[in-house]
Amino acid sequence: MTTLAVLRRLSTLLTVAVVVLTSSQPAAATTLRLTALHLHGADRVRNDQWHLRYLNIYAAHRIAQGRGITVAVPDTGVDPHPDLRTNILRGIDIIPGGSGNGKQDRDSHGTGMAGLIAAHGQADGMGALGIAPKAKILPVYDTPAGGDGNPDALAQSIEYAISKKVHVISISSVGSTSPRLDRAVHTAMASNIVVVAAAGNRPEDSDVGYPASVEGVIAVGGVDRQGRRATVSVTGPEIDVAAPAVDIYSTSIDGKYRKGTGTSNSTAIVAGAAALIRSRYPYLPASEVAHRLTATAIDKGPPGRDDEYGHGVIDLVAALTADVPPLGFGSATASAPAPTAATTTAVAEPADDGNSAATARGLVTLGVIMAAGGTWAFVARRRRRGDDPPPRISR
């Protein structure tokens, strides 16, 4: 973890190459490859989104598609791409130079992350598809194109997202903290918001970065097409889950498409997964959403939780359908902050996502609702136990 007082967008830390879809460029060793594709790539980009097949997305979409869920994306803004525009809400500019509503992106990073979460595609199966294509994106412009972000700008973005009562915040960046940012992250979690953050990219990062290192934030690592840890993905005891991170296609600016490698991408994918769960189980607390992701993850590496994959690679269908006992019953999960007041219990029942083919089982799951109160002090990195029990579902 560096001590730079900035938040660095994971894609801009790495080499960028711009080519057309049919080009064949050699891959740089462990550098990110960011590819802007022409609009006519809409007829084939879906096939290039290998992560959709890897995650069995069409089976997951028969169960839930993210209806009723809003995901905040603090980033470089979100361009109204044809595959995404109907899912973009009016947002905000935290820093000067944007359109005023978060809907301008001169970099493509924010548009790519938003597309991975909630792209709806085009007719006849064309265009990019997101993990939660019926979710909404709240765009927040807080990072300049080609530049470094500021921790207090990210803090203001999170505060805005809290005020808009979003369900998930997807943070595809790492960097240093500030008192205001630390308070904002903890306030978001105390407000029953799922916070998902990128672990970081090698070689610039050697440890899990901030805010992924905060207890209760879902820290996301990356895997390649074979399901092995991506060489770009950092490792560490804070990793909770992993998701595809290599050669990931998504939406870009000016109606084009991009291909990127890095934990920015896997973070957006996990944020989309959280949106699916929140849509399917609308009364499930944020801590239990994280629990479903970790408890149903496909175990990789040594049995149980490890520093490369966390609890494993996310399994969308299992996360939406498995009988997962609530926290406190001996299963592994992303650790949540201790409650500051008495807890209450609530029953989470599956909801119909507007899809008549939904097949998720309706076993209720008891969730613990954290009651927020008081203020949060600065939290230094706390390492999760290496002897946590293995995921309940391991295969």
Side-chain angles (χ1 to χ4, degrees):
M1 177 80 179
T2 66
T3 57
L4 293 175
V6 295
L7 285 166
R8 295 169 294 139
R9 284 179 301 103
L10 296 181
S11 71
T12 61
L13 304 180
L14 307 172
T15 301
V16 173
V18 178
V19 297
V20 296
L21 181 61
T22 56
S23 294
S24 177
Q25 299 289 337
T30 56
T31 61
L32 175 116
R33 287 171 290 153
L34 177 61
T35 308
L37 309 177
H38 291 303
L39 183 58
H40 62 244
D43 61 352
R44 51 188 183 266
V45 67
R46 185 80 57 91
N47 186 62
D48 289 327
Q49 291 187 291
W50 67 267
H51 67 280
L52 299 179
R53 297 183 295 278
Y54 181 89
L55 295 171
N56 200 11
I57 194 65
Y58 298 107
H61 282 174
R62 288 194 290 271
I63 303 165
Q65 296 188 25
R67 185 186 301 276
I69 302 303
T70 300
V71 182
V73 179
D75 212 294
T76 61
V78 177
D79 189 71
H81 191 283
D83 297 356
L84 180 62
R85 62 165 59 106
T86 63
N87 283 342
I88 306 174
L89 303 174
R90 181 179 179 85
I92 193 173
D93 292 355
I94 300 299
I95 61 175
S99 60
N101 58 11
K103 295 185 181 183
Q104 180 173 294
D105 183 5
R106 295 187 177 93
D107 182 280
S108 89
H109 189 265
T111 304
M113 300 308 102
L116 289 172
I117 297 167
H120 47 66
Q122 301 175 30
D124 301 321
M126 294 175 60
L129 184 66
I131 300 298
K134 291 186 179 177
K136 299 298 183 183
I137 296 294
L138 182 70
V140 184
Y141 173 51
D142 67 359
T143 305
D148 293 326
N150 179 280
D152 282 348
L154 178 58
Q156 191 174 347
S157 299
I158 295 171
E159 292 162 0
Y160 175 75
I162 295 169
S163 73
K164 292 299 182 179
K165 302 185 185 303
V166 303
H167 304 89
V168 181
I169 300 176
S170 181
I171 304 174
S172 288
S173 61
V174 301
S176 63
T177 186
S178 69
R180 182 177 182 179
L181 177 55
D182 198 66
R183 285 194 301 271
V185 171
H186 284 92
T187 301
M189 292 188 291
S191 301
N192 196 31
I193 296 172
V194 178
V195 182
V196 187
N201 290 342
R202 297 181 185 274
E204 286 78 7
D205 303 303
S206 57
D207 300 311
V208 176
Y210 189 93
S213 58
V214 174
E215 201 80 12
V217 172
I218 301 176
V220 184
V223 296
D224 61 18
R225 292 173 184 256
Q226 288 72 45
R228 299 186 295 257
R229 181 184 67 83
T231 56
V232 73
S233 180
V234 301
T235 62
E238 301 87 356
I239 299 288
D240 289 306
V241 292
V246 176
D247 296 339
I248 304 299
Y249 284 80
S250 185
T251 47
S252 184
I253 57 177
D254 301 324
K256 299 177 183 178
Y257 299 93
R258 70 194 300 275
K259 180 175 74 173
T261 290
T263 56
S264 278
N265 304 284
S266 54
T267 297
I269 289 170
V270 172
L276 293 182
I277 297 171
R278 301 219 85 166
S279 177
R280 185 63 180 156
Y281 300 97
Y283 301 109
L284 200 65
S287 58
E288 292 289 345
V289 173
H291 178 48
R292 270 195 168 266
L293 285 168
T294 56
T296 60
I298 300 171
D299 197 13
K300 295 282 186 177
R305 207 217 73 85
D306 62 75
D307 288 357
E308 290 191 344
Y309 304 95
H311 297 292
V313 178
I314 60 168
D315 184 330
L316 298 180
V317 175
L320 293 169
T321 62
D323 300 337
V324 180
L327 285 167
F329 280 71
S331 53
T333 185
S335 301
T340 55
T343 61
T344 58
T345 59
V347 174
E349 298 180 350
D352 188 349
D353 193 46
N355 191 323
S356 59
T359 58
R361 286 171 286 172
L363 184 68
V364 299
T365 302
L366 293 178
V368 179
I369 301 176
M370 299 301 182
T375 58
W376 294 87
F378 174 79
V379 178
R381 177 182 301 161
R382 290 174 287 179
R383 296 188 177 274
R384 294 185 175 88
R385 294 173 53 195
D387 60 349
D388 283 346
R392 186 168 296 276
I393 297 176
S394 180
R395 55 200 179 281

